[in-house]
Amino acid sequence: MKSIILSSVVAALLVLSGCSTKEPAVDKKTEEVAAPSVQEVAPVATETVASENANVNASTNELSMSAVESKLPTVYFAFDKYNITAGMQEKIDAAAELGKSGAKSFSVKLEGNCDEWGSDEYNFALGLKRANAVKKALVADGIDASRISMVSYGESNPVCTAHTKECWSQNRRVNFKLLP
Amino acid sequence: MKIFFSLLIVMSLAWAGDATIEVIKKADSLPSLAVEDASVDYDNTFKLRFFKSLIADLNVLSLFNVDRHHRMNEYDDSDVLSANKDMNYVLRYKMTKGDADALTLDVKLFTNTQEVFSKRYRVNKKNIYMFISHAIAYDINEFMGEPSVAWMKRKVIFSRIIAPKKSEIVIADYTLSYQHVIIKGGLDIFPKWANKGQTAFYYSSLSSFKPTLKYVDIKTAKVKNIISSDGMMICSDVSNDGKKLLLTMARDGQPDIYMYNVQTRKYKRITTYRGIDVNGQFLGKNKIIFISSRLGYPNVFSKQLDTGVVEQMVYYGKSNSSCSAQGHYIVYAARESSNAFSANTFNLHLISTKTDFIRRLTATGVNEFPRFSKDGDAIIFIKNYKRQSAIGIIRLMHNKNYLFPLKSGKIQSMDW
């Protein structure tokens, strides 16, 4: 009895100290792009080289990742469903347009989410099917599938935590997260 | 006539061993047991805390009518308290403070004023006292010659959501009164014990770029990456020998069940349905059960691994989204009301692959995360009722449910 408890407690502590906490890999990228090296490069590119190319680059750089992301919609779903309604299809079409223009240089991660009903693995799968439905709609709108990745958070990422119908409907959603 | 009667006897014998048919042991017929505290050390708060834990454990044994009065007596007194004179059994214990927070406990059991059992227990820290109380209950059960309750000594591993996209993985005793956070900081979910000895576990990490299955050896504190998949990566079940895993992966955004061989590190796709297939559980050597949306709502199905035949296992409930299997028994959670939202009731049900009976195991509230003990003797689950959460233990053969109130946040997944 004694040794079991001892070892488990000690081992547990060991593991705790052994596990570093990793932040999700999504954040922290914006800085690198806007490095001061621009000043040195700029004189070289000035004169005649290609004003069109320069313009395109400039326009995409103008819209920072977070600015583009804020223009992307949230797609909502009905209870226990992963089909896309007509209203939501319009939102996805608009997002696809943005994906071909302002957000052209980014990849997108589709995050599927669920309400608190139905727990366990089924909910995660449902979140994923929602993300996948949005992915298929984006691909049908001409977005390259290789630019899209997916993840399901099941019920672990609610935007609203009250136990009401309105709240649950806000949580049954797919979010767009841009990746460089 | 003789044949008819012998057939009747055979049938009743066969049914007597089936847990889907209710076995009711009347409380009156159980022997009485009182507990006497002879501790001198420690304050009253702690004395009472230990007493409560011990009473709860003894109750879970389902062998005694346990008296709930906290009475003090001298440890070496040869007589039991006069209040306990008519009790069939009297359990007396004495807690003693040791060096550096250690706790020693002596216990003896009397029946008819005869001492019939005694033992000494020791833990290094007083705050893990509940393991002593579980061990006493385990030993008393052995002494009474009843089928083992080794599951009392097993640990529960669970994950809980503490904030959006943040979770903790916790190791606990079976009542969740002792809790030790073992992983925190990211979104780490669906922990599963990797072997019978509970020396390692698997879990899904959603903190990295792709959902990744990880393996943690508790003794060496080493973490190993096992396999990743876009979208979804969950270990649903571990085979008895620990060599095979049932995974839910979503290659190309399609959640399906895969069999993973731990030694060869190869996997094989088992289900191919276009909708949702998740929560695979080993059922015997050649079969799995799983949750599928084949009927337009989640329900329990089985698949024969050699012939590939799929069979619907459950014909009751509006939405049956989680299950656990042991031997030929399946426990599943079913939504009882047809309205998706108003005052929902999720009850646990037990079915056997050998009979057509369905036994309802719970009556009120939202009951979820059912897991069998390794020997199939008990089921652990979470009950949410009137804004209160509790961990429940169902003693199948005794037809009794025991609840231990929980304080911690929303549980995401649990393994025993």
Side-chain angles (χ1 to χ4, degrees):
Chain A
M1 190 65 209
K2 177 188 159 195
S3 65
I4 293 169
I5 289 162
L6 252 180
S7 62
S8 69
V9 170
V10 170
L13 287 171
L14 274 174
V15 173
L16 185 63
S17 58
C19 289
S20 64
T21 61
K22 272 192 180 170
E23 287 297 313
V26 186
D27 308 319
K28 77 181 174 186
K29 277 113 193 169
T30 31
E31 293 305 306
E32 289 175 26
V33 183
S37 58
V38 178
Q39 283 182 341
E40 286 175 40
V41 180
V44 185
T46 40
E47 315 294 297
T48 49
V49 186
S51 57
E52 287 170 33
N53 287 347
N55 279 338
V56 172
N57 281 338
S59 68
T60 48
N61 282 340
E62 260 173 39
L63 292 173
S64 74
M65 204 161 76
S66 58
V68 179
E69 202 169 87
S70 67
K71 291 186 176 180
L72 288 167
T74 301
V75 182
Y76 295 99
F77 293 82
F79 176 74
D80 204 16
K81 292 282 184 293
Y82 51 85
N83 58 313
I84 289 163
T85 60
M88 291 300 144
Q89 182 63 47
E90 281 174 24
K91 286 187 172 186
I92 294 169
D93 293 343
E97 282 311 310
L98 199 60
K100 291 178 210 164
S101 54
K104 201 175 176 183
S105 54
F106 303 122
S107 294
V108 68
K109 188 179 186 182
L110 299 172
E111 298 181 346
N113 297 281
C114 298
D115 62 33
E116 63 182 90
W117 289 108
S119 52
D120 265 13
E121 297 186 22
Y122 189 82
N123 236 9
F124 271 77
L126 192 59
L128 188 67
K129 290 297 272 185
R130 285 172 179 163
N132 202 30
V134 175
K135 179 181 176 178
K136 280 180 181 164
L138 286 172
V139 170
D141 281 345
I143 301 290
D144 190 348
S146 66
R147 286 173 62 195
I148 307 169
S149 65
M150 291 178 291
V151 69
S152 174
Y153 289 118
E155 72 278 11
S156 71
N157 183 28
V159 285
C160 182
T161 52
H163 302 286
T164 62
K165 249 182 174 176
E166 292 69 32
C167 197
W168 292 323
S169 66
Q170 284 178 46
N171 289 334
R172 295 191 297 267
R173 71 193 195 280
V174 169
N175 291 125
F176 289 70
K177 290 275 179 254
L178 290 181
L179 305 171
Chain B
M1 201 63 183
K2 265 184 188 169
I3 295 169
F4 176 74
F5 272 115
S6 52
L7 203 68
L8 208 68
I9 289 166
V10 168
M11 277 170 72
S12 62
L13 280 175
W15 280 358
D18 193 299
T20 50
I21 299 162
E22 295 192 11
V23 180
I24 298 172
K25 288 192 176 176
K26 278 195 178 155
D28 298 346
S29 60
L30 295 175
S32 54
L33 179 140
V35 178
E36 294 178 356
D37 185 353
S39 309
V40 180
D41 296 348
Y42 300 111
D43 59 20
N44 279 335
T45 320
F46 184 71
K47 278 181 192 167
L48 208 59
R49 193 179 300 158
F50 183 85
F51 179 78
K52 277 185 188 165
S53 171
L54 184 58
I55 293 292
D57 281 331
L58 292 170
N59 263 316
V60 172
L61 291 182
S62 311
L63 300 177
F64 306 103
N65 257 337
V66 184
D67 183 66
R68 292 195 306 270
H69 292 95
H70 182 223
R71 294 194 169 99
M72 304 296 294
N73 194 3
E74 296 287 322
Y75 191 71
D76 294 323
D77 204 326
S78 56
D79 294 326
V80 300
L81 290 170
S82 59
N84 294 335
K85 255 196 304 197
D86 296 331
M87 294 286 168
N88 298 107
Y89 293 92
V90 173
L91 185 77
R92 188 183 296 160
Y93 67 88
K94 180 185 184 182
M95 296 190 284
T96 316
K97 242 181 207 171
D99 297 338
D101 207 28
L103 161 63
T104 304
L105 189 144
D106 294 289
V107 68
K108 48 186 166 187
L109 182 71
F110 296 92
T111 179
N112 301 325
T113 67
Q114 289 292 306
E115 187 185 313
V116 287
F117 171 85
S118 70
K119 194 163 174 177
R120 170 170 286 191
Y121 303 84
R122 187 174 181 279
V123 285
N124 269 32
K125 285 192 171 144
K126 139 188 157 194
N127 71 345
I128 53 174
Y129 64 88
M130 60 291 281
F131 288 96
I132 291 190
S133 129
H134 303 339
I136 293 172
Y138 173 87
D139 286 335
I140 296 294
N141 185 73
E142 293 287 296
F143 171 77
M144 300 296 286
E146 293 290 323
S148 172
V149 287
W151 46 262
M152 266 194 180
K153 291 181 168 183
R154 286 182 67 83
K155 279 166 273 170
V156 172
I157 189 163
F158 68 90
S159 51
R160 66 176 163 225
I161 305 295
I162 49 168
K165 292 191 198 176
K166 284 261 182 266
S167 68
E168 287 175 343
I169 291 182
V170 183
I171 291 180
D173 67 316
Y174 87 101
T175 61
L176 303 204
S177 51
Y178 168 79
Q179 298 191 2
H180 182 90
V181 176
I182 192 154
I183 292 179
K184 62 177 176 182
L187 184 53
D188 304 306
I189 48 181
F190 291 113
K192 286 278 176 321
W193 290 116
N195 53 38
K196 274 189 177 170
Q198 300 188 315
T199 58
F201 64 91
Y202 296 99
Y203 72 95
S204 309
S205 167
L206 296 192
S207 306
S208 20
F209 181 64
K210 277 185 177 182
T212 303
L213 185 70
K214 300 197 176 205
Y215 173 92
V216 181
D217 186 319
I218 297 182
K219 286 192 174 143
T220 61
K222 277 194 181 139
V223 184
K224 227 170 35 177
N225 285 355
I226 303 293
I227 181 170
S228 297
S229 164
D230 198 17
M232 200 173 164
M233 177 75 252
I234 296 169
C235 175
S236 308
D237 201 14
V238 180
S239 64
N240 275 336
D241 58 9
K243 289 178 182 164
K244 283 179 180 162
L245 313 178
L246 284 174
L247 306 178
T248 299
M249 293 199 281
R251 312 215 153 242
D252 309 318
Q254 178 52 49
D256 271 311
I257 294 162
Y258 293 76
M259 178 93 74
Y260 180 82
N261 187 316
V262 175
Q263 284 162 336
T264 63
R265 315 191 95 205
K266 285 189 176 143
Y267 60 83
K268 189 182 153 196
R269 189 169 176 179
I270 295 193
T271 63
T272 52
Y273 172 62
R274 280 184 301 111
I276 294 172
D277 286 335
V278 291
N279 200 182
Q281 302 278 302
F282 290 101
L283 182 73
K285 277 190 177 161
N286 206 17
K287 214 177 198 180
I288 64 158
I289 58 161
F290 60 103
I291 304 290
S292 174
S293 66
R294 275 153 219 254
L295 298 173
Y297 64 91
N299 201 8
V300 187
F301 291 82
S302 72
K303 182 158 191 166
Q304 200 77 31
L305 291 176
D306 45 5
T307 61
V309 173
V310 173
E311 192 187 346
Q312 182 179 345
M313 298 304 285
V314 173
Y315 293 88
Y316 175 82
K318 304 285 188 299
S319 169
N320 309 322
S321 69
S322 69
C323 64
S324 169
Q326 171 65 42
H328 58 274
Y329 292 114
I330 299 166
V331 59
Y332 66 94
R335 194 181 75 214
E336 307 258 354
S337 57
S338 52
N339 186 328
F341 291 115
S342 68
N344 257 303
T345 304
F346 286 75
N347 277 318
L348 301 184
H349 296 78
L350 182 75
I351 56 169
S352 157
T353 53
K354 294 188 174 165
T355 66
D356 291 332
F357 289 95
I358 300 177
R359 179 169 149 198
R360 184 189 280 182
L361 299 172
T362 58
T364 52
V366 174
N367 302 281
E368 48 190 0
F369 309 116
R371 293 295 291 174
F372 274 104
S373 62
K374 283 282 170 225
D375 55 6
D377 178 63
I379 293 170
I380 200 167
F381 69 103
I382 299 287
K383 179 189 265 308
N384 299 296
Y385 184 58
K386 290 184 179 172
R387 301 286 147 110
Q388 269 278 324
S389 286
I391 187 151
I393 300 286
I394 301 172
R395 297 296 312 277
L396 288 172
M397 288 304 171
H398 297 272
N399 195 29
K400 287 221 162 115
N401 294 6
Y402 300 93
L403 296 172
F404 298 89
L406 286 181
K407 284 173 225 144
S408 58
K410 188 172 161 50
I411 288 190
Q412 187 270 330
S413 175
M414 182 166 75
D415 193 29
W416 196 14

